[in-house]
Amino acid sequence: MAQGIFVERAEPDDPFLDVFCCGQARIDQYFRTREWFAEQSKGGSLTTYVFRAAEAGAVVGYAAVSFRNQPHPDDASDSKAKVLVISMLGINQAFQGQTNPLAAGQSYAGSIMAYLEEQARSKANCVALKLWVRSTNVRAIGFYTKVGFVTDPIGPFQLDDGDPMLTMRKFLR
């Protein structure tokens, strides 16, 4: 158990993936169709975690992440830096907004983000976490802001489905 949540690597035979529902169709589809496993099978560096409320307990959510060398998130720098990229994150609807009894004063989503930040801090030379969020997902943007993410000043960009996306980042100090 880390950060008040039970964590393990997600496996493609996880039966909960077939019914996972976070309320965002694209995220649900990503995990249900095991897109993360296909990416990993092709030699990608993506790691997908399953987060549980108890050991072998109910699934709280999933996160697909990878460490990447990207342009430094500090706008004043021209160099590249190691960043933990959160490619996809979904919290099961039953746990959204719920307080985690194993982490005083923290939601389940907060426990997941604390775990991901702990992973980033444990990697040598990692300077930040980075993610993308739909600009229309006000609840998620509010949560990411609450846990220390800021909107990248470069601004929104379009994805294939046309929804504007914001890039958000959190520096590690």
Side-chain angles (χ1 to χ4, degrees), residues 1 17 51 81 96 104 112 117 125 139 144 153 155-156 160-161 168:
M1 180 174 68
L17 284 166
F51 299 91
Q96 291 178 8
I112 290 171
E117 183 174 334
N125 302 318
R139 184 175 180 191
Y144 294 134
D160 291 336
D161 62 5
M168 297 188 78

Side-chain angles (χ1 to χ4, degrees), residues 148-164:
F149 282 78
V150 295
T151 302
D152 190 317
I154 293 173
F157 64 96
Q158 298 290 326
L159 286 185
D160 291 336
D161 62 5
D163 283 343

Side-chain angles (χ1 to χ4, degrees), residues 6 21 24 32 38 49 59 63 67 84 110-111 116 126 131 133 155:
F6 294 82
C21 183
Q24 297 289 322
R32 287 180 188 170
Y49 296 105
V59 172
F67 285 98
L84 177 66
S111 294
L116 295 175
C126 184
L131 56 80
V133 60

Side-chain angles (χ1 to χ4, degrees), residues 112-122 129 147 170 172:
I112 290 171
M113 292 306 292
Y115 174 80
L116 295 175
E117 183 174 334
E118 179 182 288
Q119 294 303 298
R121 289 184 184 281
S122 71
L129 292 92
V147 297
K170 179 177 183 175
L172 303 175

Side-chain angles (χ1 to χ4, degrees), residues 5 16 19-25 27-28 31-32 53 59-62 89-100 106-112 137-140 143-144 146:
I5 198 144
F16 189 74
V19 295
F20 179 69
C21 183
C22 72
Q24 297 289 322
I27 296 170
D28 291 342
F31 289 115
R32 287 180 188 170
V59 172
V60 173
Y62 295 93
L89 172 66
I91 309 298
N92 184 0
Q93 282 186 315
F95 290 94
Q96 291 178 8
Q98 300 298 311
T99 300
N100 180 350
Q106 192 172 64
S107 67
Y108 281 106
S111 294
I112 290 171
N137 193 341
V138 176
R139 184 175 180 191
F143 168 72
Y144 294 134
K146 181 179 176 182

Side-chain angles (χ1 to χ4, degrees), residues 17 30 33 41 50-51 74 95 97 100 104 127 148-149 162 165 169:
L17 284 166
Y30 180 86
T33 62
S41 297
V50 57
F51 299 91
D74 181 348
F95 290 94
N100 180 350
V127 300
F149 282 78
M165 301 292 284
R169 58 193 178 184

